[in-house]
Amino acid sequence: HMSEKYIEYPTFSIPDSFKDSRVSTPLIFILSQGSDPMGDWEKFAELRGVIKTKRESVSLGQGQEGKATEMIKKGRENGMWIILQNCHFAKSWMPKLEQIIESLPEGNSHRDFRLWLTSMPADYFPVAILQASVKMTIEPPSGIRANLTRTFANMEPNEVMKTKSPKKYQKLLYGFAFFHAIVQDRRKFGPIGWNIMYEFNNEDLKVCIRQLEYFIDTCPDVPFKDLNFLAGEINYGGRVTDDKDCRLIKVIVEDYITPKILDDSYAFSASGFYKAPPFSDREAIIKFTSELPQNPNPEVFGMHENAEILTAQATTRELLETILTIQPRAVSGTGKTREEIIFEQVISIEKKTPKPYDIKKIAKQYPKQYTESMNTGLIQELISKNKLINNILDTMRQIKNALKGEEVMSEDKERM
């Protein structure tokens, strides 16, 4: 068996990507729902000694193109870091940006100049920019363990020891981090998780952590009610618009920001696997987190085990759709055409598909009896399977006829 390192999400690292950059090589953050690299970017800039006056950012959109052009020119002359956010909102300006980037090697740019871009995937984003840049994908890690590991790996060692009551702070810090992982990972369950897919991101968590630090330093007792209100109603709850989701997120946060979490024996779910670690340093917290299950059971989200079925179906569908999008659409030389390949696949599927079951014959062999209740279920399952088999055979027949030109290819068959 392959080891877990092949399925674990690597910790996102801007420094590793920065090593491959040059004055003429932009760095692109390819965004996904719920991702925001600005906090990590600013933190990295400070570590590199790039002060605020040496870095500028602009969010692209209507009327911002001229400002972005001037910022790039200024950055090239003065050795600044320039980040253009949300490039997917400036579709009409993308050809101009492509020209600017192509001209970077020709000009006399300051050696400290770096151009950073952020964009959601878009088919109109210039391919030339992608080919000439360092690309970084920003995605919320999949799974509770991966999410928690990323949260604490991105912290400085002393960040888990802050405030005048570091033990309480660390417990509640882990509680907020766990809550953050839960609300992000619930999205994989579709409408069972959230009625609307909200873009919770790391900035929401950072605000909660700063408020936690302030309250512990200024209040004699931890104001759990206030922390719950701020997280459930404002920091995270401010993004929530559905009334049922509003009720849900307020209930969820109360499971993690509670006086019970200060007890080492308190578990976040019935299984007992998920707890806040005992008071320790950052490395010990990461080690404790690494021992959590790789694939969280739905029970940690307060769901039935069957909820995992919907997630597995969506993941499989996404995987197959991705494979289809990258397969070649044409062949060169004397190889088979796309139609010939499809026809052979149709023949292969027909040969592998079993014939429909003889329901009448099987019903006589396994009649409905009071003492044999499973016979009723057997017949019902075979009727459903026959429908599936007939549907497969009928679809294969239609595709063959369409390839021969004897039948019009429907939209559904064309997508298939």
Side-chain angles (χ1 to χ4, degrees):
H1 296 284
M2 298 174 70
S3 64
E4 285 191 356
K5 71 177 183 179
Y6 293 100
I7 58 175
E8 288 182 344
Y9 279 76
T11 303
F12 174 67
S13 174
I14 296 180
D16 291 342
S17 299
F18 185 79
K19 293 176 183 177
D20 298 327
S21 71
R22 300 289 185 273
V23 171
S24 59
T25 307
L27 298 100
I28 302 180
F29 294 106
I30 301 175
L31 307 176
S32 62
Q33 187 181 47
S35 63
D36 183 5
M38 284 304 296
D40 293 327
W41 180 78
E42 290 177 349
K43 183 177 180 180
F44 175 65
E46 292 174 0
L47 290 174
R48 295 282 302 186
V50 182
I51 59 177
K52 289 185 177 181
T53 56
K54 297 288 285 184
R55 61 180 192 263
E56 290 187 8
S57 65
V58 61
S59 182
L60 293 179
Q62 188 173 8
Q64 297 298 314
E65 295 84 355
K67 181 179 179 181
T69 303
E70 289 299 319
M71 283 175 57
I72 295 174
K73 182 180 178 181
K74 179 182 175 183
R76 292 178 64 180
E77 295 173 352
N78 302 318
M80 301 173 64
W81 283 14
I82 306 299
I83 183 166
L84 308 182
Q85 302 180 65
N86 304 320
C87 291
H88 53 284
F89 289 146
K91 180 179 179 180
S92 61
W93 191 64
M94 287 298 98
K96 176 64 175 177
L97 178 61
E98 183 178 358
Q99 293 176 6
I100 293 173
I101 291 175
E102 287 178 349
S103 69
L104 289 180
E106 302 170 6
N108 296 321
S109 301
H110 193 287
R111 66 178 184 177
D112 293 333
F113 167 70
R114 290 294 186 276
L115 178 61
W116 304 72
L117 311 172
T118 74
S119 177
M120 294 287 285
D123 55 5
Y124 51 81
F125 195 92
V127 176
I129 297 179
L130 291 173
Q131 292 174 338
S133 63
V134 177
K135 295 164 284 294
M136 296 166 281
T137 302
I138 311 296
E139 292 184 351
S142 177
I144 303 297
R145 188 175 82 180
N147 204 309
L148 288 169
T149 300
R150 176 177 170 178
T151 296
F152 286 97
N154 288 338
M155 290 183 179
E156 295 297 323
N158 64 338
E159 286 189 54
V160 300
M161 297 289 185
K162 289 183 176 181
T163 76
K164 63 183 182 182
S165 301
K167 291 185 178 180
K168 292 181 179 179
Y169 172 75
Q170 193 176 107
K171 285 285 188 179
L172 290 167
L173 174 65
Y174 200 87
F176 270 123
F178 206 98
F179 166 70
H180 177 74
I182 288 290
V183 297
Q184 283 199 324
D185 219 36
R186 282 184 73 94
R187 292 183 299 204
K188 69 182 181 182
F189 295 102
I192 301 178
W194 298 107
N195 288 332
I196 299 173
M197 297 295 102
Y198 303 104
E199 297 186 7
F200 302 118
N201 58 49
N202 288 336
E203 293 305 311
D204 303 329
L205 175 61
K206 289 177 181 178
V207 171
C208 289
I209 293 174
R210 287 196 292 267
Q211 291 169 343
L212 172 64
E213 182 180 348
Y214 171 79
F215 279 125
I216 290 183
D217 276 336
T218 58
C219 300
D221 298 313
V222 180
F224 290 98
K225 186 176 180 180
D226 295 338
L227 290 170
N228 280 314
F229 178 83
L230 289 170
E233 297 274 7
I234 301 175
N235 302 336
Y236 287 86
R239 298 181 183 274
V240 180
T241 54
D242 183 83
D243 61 327
K244 302 297 188 300
D245 290 341
C246 288
R247 293 171 59 187
L248 175 61
I249 196 168
K250 286 186 284 187
V251 171
I252 292 175
V253 71
E254 289 176 357
D255 285 338
Y256 306 103
I257 308 305
T258 170
K260 297 178 183 178
I261 198 175
L262 302 178
D263 185 351
D264 287 342
S265 63
Y266 177 69
F268 297 137
S269 67
S271 66
F273 286 126
Y274 299 94
K275 299 178 180 179
F279 180 70
S280 53
D281 58 16
R282 190 195 65 165
E283 296 306 317
I285 294 173
I286 294 176
K287 184 178 185 300
F288 176 90
T289 302
S290 67
E291 296 173 355
L292 296 176
Q294 169 70 27
N295 298 311
N297 194 291
E299 61 92 21
V300 74
F301 301 94
M303 299 181 183
H304 190 271
E305 290 184 359
N306 288 345
E308 193 70 26
I309 297 174
L310 183 64
T311 306
Q313 290 175 337
T315 303
T316 303
R317 191 181 303 111
E318 182 182 2
L319 173 63
L320 295 176
E321 288 175 352
T322 302
I323 293 173
L324 288 174
T325 59
I326 63 177
Q327 74 172 0
R329 298 300 181 186
V331 292
S332 59
T334 58
K336 297 177 182 178
T337 65
R338 180 169 175 261
E339 286 72 21
E340 289 174 339
I341 295 174
I342 294 175
F343 195 86
E344 288 182 357
Q345 291 176 340
V346 169
I347 297 298
S348 175
I349 292 173
E350 282 185 327
K351 290 180 179 179
K352 294 177 182 178
T353 304
K355 295 180 180 180
Y357 294 94
D358 187 340
I359 301 297
K360 291 183 179 180
K361 182 178 178 181
I362 295 175
K364 289 181 180 179
Q365 187 176 355
Y366 299 96
K368 296 180 181 179
Q369 296 179 352
Y370 178 77
T371 57
E372 295 292 343
S373 59
M374 295 297 292
N375 289 355
T376 301
L378 172 65
I379 299 301
Q380 291 174 346
E381 289 296 322
L382 291 177
I383 291 173
S384 298
K385 192 166 186 179
N386 273 356
K387 289 181 180 178
L388 175 61
I389 292 171
N390 289 327
N391 188 26
I392 293 173
L393 294 174
D394 185 56
T395 300
M396 296 301 104
R397 178 190 61 77
Q398 292 178 26
I399 292 176
K400 284 196 300 183
N401 290 341
L403 292 173
K404 294 176 183 177
E406 299 174 358
E407 189 173 329
V408 178
M409 181 80 79
S410 67
E411 185 178 346
D412 291 339
K413 304 301 184 296
E414 182 68 30
R415 284 201 303 267
M416 183 182 299

